[in-house]
Amino acid sequence: MAQDLASMASLAAELKYTPIDTIPAIAAGVRNAFNSHKTKSIDFRLTQLRKLYWGIKDNEAALLQACKQDLGKGVFETHLSEIDWCLNDIVFVTQNLEKWVKDENPPDIPLANKLLSPRIRKDPLGAVLIIGTYNFPVNLCVTPLVGAIAAGCTAVVKPSENAPYVARALQHIVETSLDVSCYAVAQGAIPETSKLLEEKWDKIFYTGSVTVAKIIAKKAAETLTPVTLELGGRNPAIVTKNANVRLAAKRLLWGKIMNAGQVCLSQNYTMVDKEILDPFIKEMKLAIDSFYPNGAKDSDDFGRIVNGKQWSKLKTMLEDSKGKIVFGGDMDESQRYIGPTVVLVDSPQDSLVAEESFGPLIPILPVEDLDTAIRIAGEVHRTPLGVYPFGNKSETERIMRETQSGGVSVNDALFHGSIPTLPFGGVGDSGQGAYRGRSSFDCFTHRRSVTTTPGWMESLLDVRYPPYEGKLAKFKKSSELKPNFDRDGKVRFNLVSYILGLGAGSMTGGLVRYAVVLIGKFKSSQAYSLNLC
């Protein structure tokens, strides 16, 4: 099968778009499949996930070839960020799914309400649309699909047309591995995507640009369809004078050369304290030389820009910059190649800082101090996808306290986004919603609150039925919570409650502490008895 698909991948540049007039039928098909309730079976979900695992595994060679053709992505990076990531994600989900789907006991339920057996049921949202993007074309389609399958949803996946070889490979894997009545792939560009958005979905999951996300969110709002938006941002790295300069340079360089810089999570610019600017640049040059002894262009480990349009955009950004190229700057349009390029800029308004570069362009902005760096970070983009602070503990804590972002990697580049079981997502205009691991299941799941009222409770519920004369005092007595604070917002200290609760902050905490004391006393008594014997 893999060899057959490898041959097919060579034709992927002629990717056949899904006929627009068939899209309504595709959407109706997955809606009908969901309404048949077949995907709600845990056994069905696990079987589909296991089949998807083997579909990817059996077509590994074709995916390697497709990623190479679309992005010039090397074998190691393709395994690291695409194939092995997805395979491990499937294994993790299958090993935990039966635990996740169980009804959940909600916390903080008053004792009287526990008689109603309150619980949270995990229901699938329904038929969902997943729109992928090109920079990690396997991962960013498969990972949300895994979450949708695990949750019990049906799905249509729309891969990026800008990675046509991978798009064709994914279609083959889905159509030969999964239940085609429940899961489908739609191919195309703007017209096909627009037609998909005209359909009613129970959720839309989109990865890509802010511009397109606004279009999707606006369209989804017409039918009050929930969305998860995984976007990007002008992510800052901040290197203070107390940072380990060598590690900061090496790690930030890696964050910008992975996938030829086409990573929404990588730092868009790096602010460096002026005191360590020269050694930082020196260390970055040493790191580049160690990564690519024979140059990045001739290395199988360095990728290519996805297409000519994106290559030209990066070239224009570099030409518009008023910064000074410290090293790099080599380009080859015929290969869609741009080498790692370090540029010393002097203004936050520079084109390489103000815009998201999405390539191996590495602008460095010297700053006077940490105050200046934090201020500039907020001015350039208040809610980026990531923030990367390098410094001592008090400095990194302050940066996290005084900035906002989807995530943070302290003393590293984008590492929080490389942990497959850690929730990943943006904040503000860098995205909404999160996924990965358990969060992928939660992303496509409705937490449905359920209670069961037994018949014998009717006399206890009499207070809720009219007429209400004389019932208000009874209601207040059974339900009113007394505040532990005064009118100035200060907490009142109650010595009796403190003593009776053994210093716990609540009745439940007090009961737990009493239980611990009693167990300890019981064990001590047993030990004493044994010693007497």
Side-chain angles (χ1 to χ4, degrees):
M1 181 186 297
Q3 289 182 343
D4 291 341
L5 183 53
S7 299
M8 294 166 61
S10 64
L11 302 175
E14 303 173 7
L15 180 66
K16 292 183 179 180
Y17 288 2
T18 301
I20 290 179
D21 59 359
T22 67
I23 287 176
I26 294 172
V30 296
R31 281 196 299 268
N32 293 336
F34 180 76
N35 291 333
S36 74
H37 307 295
K38 67 190 296 185
T39 60
K40 294 182 179 179
S41 161
I42 306 304
D43 288 339
F44 176 86
R45 304 182 205 181
L46 288 170
T47 298
Q48 295 302 302
L49 289 169
R50 291 163 184 159
K51 286 185 174 181
L52 180 59
Y53 176 94
W54 289 112
I56 295 171
K57 192 74 172 175
D58 291 342
N59 291 288
E60 186 176 291
L63 289 171
L64 286 167
Q65 180 186 344
C67 287
K68 186 69 175 178
Q69 290 175 297
D70 282 330
L71 289 153
K73 193 172 290 193
V75 172
F76 180 83
E77 277 197 13
T78 301
H79 276 286
L80 174 73
S81 62
E82 307 274 14
I83 297 172
D84 289 20
W85 181 294
C86 294
L87 293 175
N88 289 340
D89 189 44
I90 294 171
V91 171
F92 175 77
V93 171
T94 57
Q95 290 175 344
N96 289 277
L97 184 57
E98 291 182 336
K99 175 177 64 178
W100 296 342
V101 300
K102 290 180 179 178
D103 287 357
E104 185 179 314
N105 293 322
D108 305 320
I109 299 296
L111 185 61
N113 290 333
K114 287 185 180 293
L115 299 173
L116 302 174
S117 302
R119 58 202 181 276
I120 299 172
R121 179 184 171 90
K122 319 294 177 56
D123 283 354
L125 287 176
V128 304
L129 174 64
I130 298 168
I131 304 175
T133 192
Y134 67 81
N135 57 327
F136 295 98
V138 182
N139 187 328
L140 299 181
C141 282
V142 171
T143 303
L145 177 61
V146 168
I149 295 172
C153 296
T154 57
V156 172
V157 179
K158 213 299 283 184
S160 173
E161 72 278 12
N162 291 315
Y165 293 88
V166 171
R168 182 67 187 92
L170 287 176
Q171 182 174 359
H172 175 85
I173 290 169
V174 169
E175 292 178 350
T176 57
S177 304
L178 300 180
D179 185 325
V180 293
S181 70
C182 301
Y183 312 105
V185 173
Q187 305 282 16
I190 294 176
E192 292 76 17
T193 304
S194 299
K195 190 67 175 178
L196 284 166
L197 292 174
E198 291 178 6
E199 297 297 318
K200 177 66 180 86
W201 303 98
D202 296 300
K203 182 154 196 177
I204 299 173
F205 188 107
Y206 169 74
T207 306
S209 70
V210 171
T211 301
V212 176
K214 290 178 180 178
I215 296 170
I216 290 172
K218 183 177 179 180
K219 192 67 180 177
E222 294 177 4
T223 53
L224 297 180
T225 300
V227 295
T228 291
L229 304 174
E230 298 293 343
L231 311 176
R234 286 149 288 167
N235 311 313
I238 300 174
V239 184
T240 77
K241 61 186 177 183
N242 295 308
N244 183 318
V245 176
R246 184 183 65 83
L247 284 181
K250 183 178 182 181
R251 291 173 179 180
L252 286 171
L253 175 64
W254 170 78
K256 255 307 195 181
I257 52 103
M258 183 182 184
N259 202 29
Q262 296 165 109
V263 184
C264 60
L265 196 55
S266 65
Q267 77 276 8
N268 198 60
Y269 62 104
T270 301
M271 290 181 280
V272 180
D273 192 291
K274 287 183 176 180
E275 287 189 26
I276 59 166
L277 178 63
D278 290 341
F280 180 83
I281 291 175
K282 178 183 177 182
E283 290 293 343
M284 190 161 274
K285 178 66 168 66
L286 291 172
I288 286 181
D289 292 340
S290 68
F291 289 173
Y292 307 111
N294 299 316
K297 187 175 183 180
D298 295 326
S299 173
D300 291 334
D301 296 328
F302 190 79
R304 296 296 185 265
I305 306 305
V306 67
N307 55 37
K309 179 181 178 181
Q310 289 299 118
W311 186 93
S312 296
K313 179 182 177 181
L314 290 169
K315 180 174 181 289
T316 299
M317 286 182 67
L318 187 59
E319 290 172 345
D320 290 345
S321 172
K322 293 179 171 58
K324 174 187 176 183
I325 295 178
V326 179
F327 52 84
D330 50 323
M331 301 183 182
D332 186 337
E333 186 174 8
S334 66
Q335 292 189 24
R336 308 192 313 272
Y337 167 79
I338 296 178
T341 302
V342 175
V343 184
L344 191 60
V345 299
D346 60 7
S347 168
Q349 285 74 47
D350 191 273
S351 60
L352 295 180
V353 177
E355 301 175 49
E356 185 178 2
S357 64
F358 221 62
L361 306 180
I362 309 170
I364 297 175
L365 177 63
V367 291
E368 291 289 344
D369 50 33
L370 185 54
D371 289 343
T372 304
I374 292 174
R375 177 180 57 78
I376 290 173
E379 292 173 352
V380 171
H381 191 176
R382 190 174 67 85
T383 56
L385 190 56
V387 169
Y388 308 105
F390 291 76
N392 60 36
K393 186 174 180 179
S394 64
E395 290 169 334
T396 58
E397 286 291 335
R398 182 188 170 195
I399 292 168
M400 286 191 285
R401 187 172 62 250
E402 298 182 16
T403 62
Q404 286 182 279
S405 64
V408 180
S409 291
V410 177
N411 290 331
D412 212 335
L414 59 86
F415 206 98
H416 71 277
S418 64
I419 300 176
T421 54
L422 189 66
F424 174 80
V427 62
D429 59 359
S430 63
Q432 59 189 64
Y435 73 122
R436 303 238 179 112
R438 168 67 186 265
S439 294
S440 292
F441 170 81
D442 292 339
C443 179
F444 295 98
T445 297
H446 170 60
R447 294 169 60 82
R448 192 179 186 185
S449 297
V450 179
T451 60
T452 301
T453 309
W456 61 262
M457 284 189 65
E458 191 62 13
S459 61
L460 300 176
L461 299 173
D462 180 69
V463 70
R464 71 182 182 178
Y465 299 124
Y468 295 124
E469 185 177 353
K471 291 183 177 181
L472 182 58
K474 181 181 178 181
F475 168 73
K476 283 180 172 289
K477 185 177 180 180
S478 64
S479 64
E480 187 175 14
L481 298 177
K482 301 295 184 182
N484 67 338
F485 49 86
D486 62 21
R487 293 179 180 275
D488 295 322
K490 297 178 180 179
V491 175
R492 298 174 181 143
F493 180 74
N494 189 313
L495 182 60
V496 175
S497 297
Y498 184 83
I499 294 172
L500 292 177
L502 297 180
S506 65
M507 181 184 295
T508 302
L511 291 173
V512 170
R513 292 189 179 187
Y514 271 111
V516 171
V517 170
L518 290 172
I519 292 170
K521 187 173 180 60
F522 176 73
K523 288 185 176 180
S524 296
S525 298
Q526 281 189 320
Y528 181 71
S529 298
L530 289 172
N531 288 335
L532 288 178
C533 295

